[in-house]
Amino acid sequence: MTGFSYARGDTWIHDPRQHGTRRMTAAAPGALRVAYCADPVPALLERPGTLAVFTFDGQSAPPGSDPRRLGVLLAPLAGRAPCERWSVEADVSHGRDGDVRWACGGGWRFVAIEADEDAQGGLEAATRYVYDRLLGHAAGHPERHCLRIWNYLDAINAGAGDSERYRRFCSARARSMAVHGLERYPAATAIGHHGVHGRLQVYALCAAEAGVALENPRQVSAWNYPRRYGPDAPNFVRAMQLPRGGLAISGTAAVLGADSHHLHDVTAQATEAIANLRALLAGARLPAFAAASPLKVYVRHLADAARVSAVLERELAPSVPRLLLQGDVCRRELLVEIDGWRLAEGS
Ligand code: 3EB
């Protein structure tokens, strides 16, 4: 072990002034918890400490629902998906700030916003709108560090070359981040949905304490992608080490260096994505994925579901919770992408 760490409960906490070890054996006090749950949404919202509840049935939550509820516009590859619940060991308050829905407690904040492109004047305007609102909201509260963002947009691969909608989204996102003077990029996911036409969904995890960004030595940092991948690079870090322990992992695909690999081979792409995930765990000196590592697997083609499941069974312990969703990856040659969490056991 290099550097200096100190014990808080059962958990070794990295001292950011040193090159230390973060060894998680149990959740630190105040850590964020994330789990997939079969319970109905109202029961999850009623439980103490619930910060957010996500459904995955391809539909937005009904208007006027609890602001902590988000209906992700992605559908499961098979059957009914569980809900995802974020929780904290603290009292939670929640509300609305214009179009922004928020919840906070224990130093954590959930922020969500949805916008319709037609109502905002197009994809770029809608992206600017949601990012301006979201970053503005976060900056005005104690939980001002935006650590992790999810972006779900319609028809992500429509358009050729630099007119591709994902590239246009990247440019508008970059502009909003620049205007807000965002100094540190969050970890992120950007996936195409087939839900409501033209609807953009963005939600974020923010915290009162800063995180520590982590890059992948197997990959060029996304913000350094070469020009051939678009006029404005995607502004995200590969993973974020969370305050009080845990790693939030960005969407991870079969990208080596800056380039997509294993074209037309979903099995090899899924295997490479998991190799990239393992490199992030190694970088954070974390043990292998286990029960406290909920993963989300976005698969472009329904027909690839069985092949991707087989890779997950081969590569991951049976205890690793995994949610398979139909989602379009932001480069059209990429067939599968995985994101998720490596949290402390017992969280
Ligand atoms: C990649 O490695 C795959 O634009 O926010 C992954 C995670 C990807 C986040 C984003 C894009 C984003 O470049 C794509």
Side-chain angles (χ1 to χ4, degrees):
M1 192 169 88
T2 57
F4 170 71
S5 299
Y6 62 94
R8 186 196 278 160
D10 288 333
T11 305
W12 290 96
I13 304 293
H14 175 69
D15 184 326
R17 294 163 300 183
Q18 310 285 337
H19 295 286
T21 295
R22 182 195 291 257
R23 203 191 64 199
M24 301 192 301
T25 54
L32 179 79
R33 292 156 186 250
V34 178
Y36 297 138
C37 307
D39 311 60
V41 175
L44 295 173
L45 289 170
E46 269 172 34
R47 272 198 222 161
T50 297
L51 194 69
V53 174
F54 305 90
T55 58
F56 302 91
D57 59 4
Q59 294 181 339
S60 290
S65 345
D66 188 306
R68 296 171 296 169
R69 174 176 177 172
L70 187 85
V72 173
L73 292 170
L74 300 172
L77 286 182
R80 267 191 61 185
C83 295
E84 178 177 337
R85 174 175 178 255
W86 294 1
S87 61
V88 295
E89 290 164 315
D91 290 335
V92 169
S93 10
H94 54 82
R96 290 168 199 273
D97 168 14
D99 287 345
V100 169
R101 281 122 62 189
W102 61 268
C104 70
W108 299 98
R109 177 173 291 260
F110 163 71
V111 186
I113 178 163
E114 297 180 54
D116 287 310
E117 292 175 28
D118 287 347
Q120 297 300 331
L123 172 61
E124 285 87 347
T127 303
R128 285 291 303 269
Y129 178 79
V130 300
Y131 267 85
D132 287 351
R133 290 290 179 287
L134 194 140
L135 297 176
H137 177 89
H141 291 90
E143 304 83 7
R144 67 181 202 284
H145 301 283
C146 200
L147 303 181
R148 178 69 172 93
I149 299 198
W150 291 256
N151 307 278
Y152 297 126
L153 55 150
D154 180 33
I156 194 166
N157 300 125
D162 288 346
S163 305
E164 186 179 34
R165 280 168 50 85
Y166 171 64
R167 296 187 182 190
R168 293 166 49 201
F169 164 80
C170 282
S171 295
R173 170 175 60 178
R175 217 135 295 144
S176 182
M177 286 180 168
V179 165
H180 284 264
L182 199 74
E183 283 167 13
R184 285 183 282 187
Y185 301 138
T189 294
I191 288 286
H193 70 69
H194 294 261
V196 183
H197 173 71
R199 183 162 299 169
L200 177 62
Q201 291 189 311
V202 179
Y203 69 91
L205 172 68
C206 305
E209 297 168 63
V212 177
L214 185 69
E215 290 302 306
N216 187 338
R218 308 175 88 229
Q219 300 182 307
V220 171
S221 292
W223 68 81
N224 271 333
Y225 278 169
R227 174 65 183 84
R228 65 180 176 280
Y229 288 109
D232 294 285
N235 288 338
F236 68 96
V237 299
R238 297 294 178 184
M240 185 65 75
Q241 295 177 274
L242 299 175
R244 299 168 189 274
L247 186 68
I249 302 171
S250 291
T252 302
V255 172
L256 291 173
D259 296 329
S260 310
H261 278 64
H262 314 298
L263 305 192
H264 313 294
D265 184 347
V266 74
T267 297
Q269 286 199 12
T271 307
E272 200 70 72
I274 291 173
N276 278 328
L277 294 175
R278 290 213 178 94
L280 291 170
L281 291 187
R285 300 176 194 215
L286 287 169
F289 292 111
S293 316
L295 301 182
K296 218 168 276 157
V297 185
Y298 307 93
V299 180
R300 181 183 294 276
H301 302 299
L302 283 174
D304 287 337
R307 274 184 282 265
V308 172
S309 295
V311 173
L312 300 173
E313 272 164 46
R314 191 184 73 210
E315 300 286 335
L316 299 173
S319 60
V320 178
R322 60 204 77 166
L323 173 54
L324 276 74
L325 299 171
Q326 197 284 318
D328 295 340
V329 186
C330 59
R331 292 184 190 174
R332 59 192 73 191
E333 70 277 11
L334 291 173
L335 304 171
V336 59
E337 182 172 302
I338 304 174
D339 72 16
W341 310 81
R342 203 326 171 181
L343 303 174
E345 297 306 327
S347 69

